[in-house]
Amino acid sequence: MVINGHDGAGTALVLAASPVGKGRLIDAVSVLPALAAVPPAALTGTAVATLVELADPLEPQAVLTRLRAAVASPGPLALYITGQLHLDHKQRLPHFALARTTSSTLRYTALPWHWIAGELKLRRPGTTAVVVDLVADAAVWERLAARPSELALGYGIRVYGRIAPPPDRRTLATPEYLSACTTIWRSGARPSLADLHAQVAVQVGADGSVLLAAPPPQGPATVPGQTGALTPPPAPPAAPTEQAPGSTPDPLPGILDAARAGRHDEAQAAAQACEQEALRAYGPGSPQVIHWLEVRAELAHLARDAGRSCELWMAAAHARLQRRQAPDDPDVEGAVDRAHHQWEQLRDAHAARALAPALVTLRGRVPGRQRGALHLLRRRVESLHTLAPPPR
């Protein structure tokens, strides 16, 4: 298996989780012992690979941190996810349950699916594959029947796997799809993901499940037993407007390549030029301008400039709020969460104190999904003031 022709170093991130107690629908971690016997390079289809395994993690922010680190890796990325999906009652958005997730704490203890999509959107198209073995609760299953693209992860992200309906009462599902993949890998075979999926689909059967297969360039894939397909949209979401025939190609992949090659000043200059062009063409506060603002924030993160990244993510959040997006809109929450995360990475107390008032005000307006985030932020700010006073 090779992701888009790469044969260098890859990264595999395995996320297996399900709630403890009666809310558990699938024994997600049961596949991990067998998966541990598979060489990491088999999971990425590259010559060598780094494996990161998250078994029954407790906190969504901790998972997000590991996911961001994997996304920032320059080579091919393979993400394997097994567990269960639930729909939150307030926003009706799918969440991936973690070990502490319950029906009443879902918004705070589960990983919002759109967080995964948001992190993957800056990956270069064709360098990322996601393999899922999931069980959906009744609400998510009903939602998927009406909107099969509900879990789509974006342009250029190839998605394979299975989503099963909720099991019968007192029945615990197992990750049969990933187990079948593991059996094939342990035999020494290294098929492409498309061939692997076709083989596994025959073994596990549809059995009322949705089998997901990334389409080839010619059109949707068809595999034996397939009941549905989770396909990316036909155009890159990175550019908020459609590209007319004959127009210039999307500059984002080249900008990201420059950043990952360490040419951070070049990448920032190019992104800023794109933002200015969008400003002239579409006006202040337009989705096109906000898009490039968020790209610049991510570039600052890649350059390890946490302070600048925090500032830009806060600016993006304010821009979205000024467009009358709600404080609990996923894009608004995501921008504030990222600003908060970057602020936490600051090791310069003076810089942290300088950014703190604006972040506290913004966090008060956008509490986010992490319970007590504002309280924790205020406590951290108070602790900063007990340190040496800022230089005069």
Side-chain angles (χ1 to χ4, degrees):
M1 179 185 73
V2 177
I3 300 177
N4 203 30
H6 291 273
D7 59 1
T11 300
L13 175 61
V14 177
L15 171 58
S18 52
V20 175
K22 62 180 182 180
R24 175 172 290 193
L25 302 178
I26 181 173
D27 185 8
V29 299
S30 63
V31 73
L32 294 182
L35 199 58
V38 177
L43 303 181
T44 60
T46 54
V48 293
T50 298
L51 174 63
V52 179
E53 183 181 286
L54 301 179
D56 274 335
L58 303 178
E59 301 292 340
Q61 288 292 339
V63 177
L64 186 61
T65 298
R66 291 295 191 95
L67 176 61
R68 284 175 177 164
V71 166
S73 61
L77 171 65
L79 178 59
Y80 294 85
I81 306 175
T82 179
Q84 58 195 67
L85 296 172
H86 298 266
L87 212 61
D88 80 89
H89 299 300
K90 184 176 181 181
Q91 290 184 302
R92 310 296 292 172
L93 294 173
H95 286 58
F96 179 79
L98 302 181
R100 290 180 177 172
T101 299
T102 65
S103 58
S104 60
T105 65
L106 180 71
R107 277 175 54 83
Y108 308 103
T109 59
L111 182 72
W113 191 261
H114 65 266
W115 281 15
I116 301 175
E119 295 304 321
L120 294 180
K121 70 180 181 180
L122 288 179
R123 290 283 301 178
R124 186 178 181 86
T127 63
T128 307
V130 179
V131 178
V132 301
D133 195 344
L134 301 168
V135 172
D137 74 354
V140 173
W141 188 250
E142 182 179 352
R143 188 75 168 266
L144 285 175
R147 300 173 59 184
S149 62
E150 181 74 21
L151 302 178
L153 294 173
Y155 175 79
I157 308 297
R158 296 185 297 147
V159 183
Y160 296 90
R162 181 184 73 157
I163 302 178
D168 295 335
R169 195 173 181 180
R170 296 189 180 88
T171 299
L172 192 63
T174 57
E176 296 178 2
Y177 183 96
L178 269 184
S179 295
C181 291
T182 299
T183 299
I184 293 172
W185 285 324
R186 292 180 69 180
S187 73
R190 297 293 183 265
S192 68
L193 275 179
D195 290 341
L196 178 68
H197 175 79
Q199 293 177 42
V200 171
V202 172
Q203 292 183 33
V204 302
D207 194 26
S209 301
V210 174
L211 296 177
L212 313 176
Q218 296 83 358
T222 57
V223 294
Q226 182 173 345
T227 61
L230 186 65
T231 62
T241 58
E242 294 183 5
Q243 215 170 345
S247 60
T248 56
D250 181 11
L252 183 56
I255 291 173
L256 293 175
D257 283 348
R260 288 170 180 143
R263 304 194 308 273
H264 299 293
D265 291 343
E266 174 188 331
Q268 277 288 359
Q272 194 160 9
C274 291
E275 182 182 344
Q276 290 302 312
E277 183 178 344
L279 181 63
R280 289 190 295 270
Y282 303 102
S286 63
Q288 293 82 359
V289 170
I290 295 174
H291 162 71
W292 286 109
L293 186 60
E294 293 180 340
V295 169
R296 290 175 57 209
E298 182 61 22
L299 291 175
H301 162 62
L302 292 176
R304 300 187 183 277
D305 188 347
R308 184 58 176 154
S309 183
C310 175
E311 289 177 331
L312 290 168
W313 279 119
M314 286 196 292
H318 282 298
R320 291 189 176 280
L321 289 169
Q322 288 171 4
R323 286 182 56 83
R324 299 186 183 279
Q325 289 183 243
D328 62 354
D329 182 286
D331 288 332
V332 176
E333 288 185 337
V336 177
D337 287 343
R338 287 170 172 84
H340 192 161
H341 175 77
Q342 290 300 310
W343 185 82
E344 292 282 358
Q345 307 312 304
L346 286 169
R347 297 295 175 261
D348 182 339
H350 175 58
R353 277 191 293 261
L355 290 169
L359 182 59
V360 169
T361 300
L362 183 59
R363 181 53 95 184
R365 191 175 177 185
V366 185
R369 294 165 180 264
Q370 185 178 7
R371 181 174 292 176
L374 178 59
H375 174 68
L376 292 173
L377 174 60
R378 284 173 171 160
R379 284 185 57 186
R380 171 77 191 281
V381 173
E382 289 174 2
S383 70
L384 288 174
H385 288 287
T386 65
L387 302 174
R392 295 181 180 273

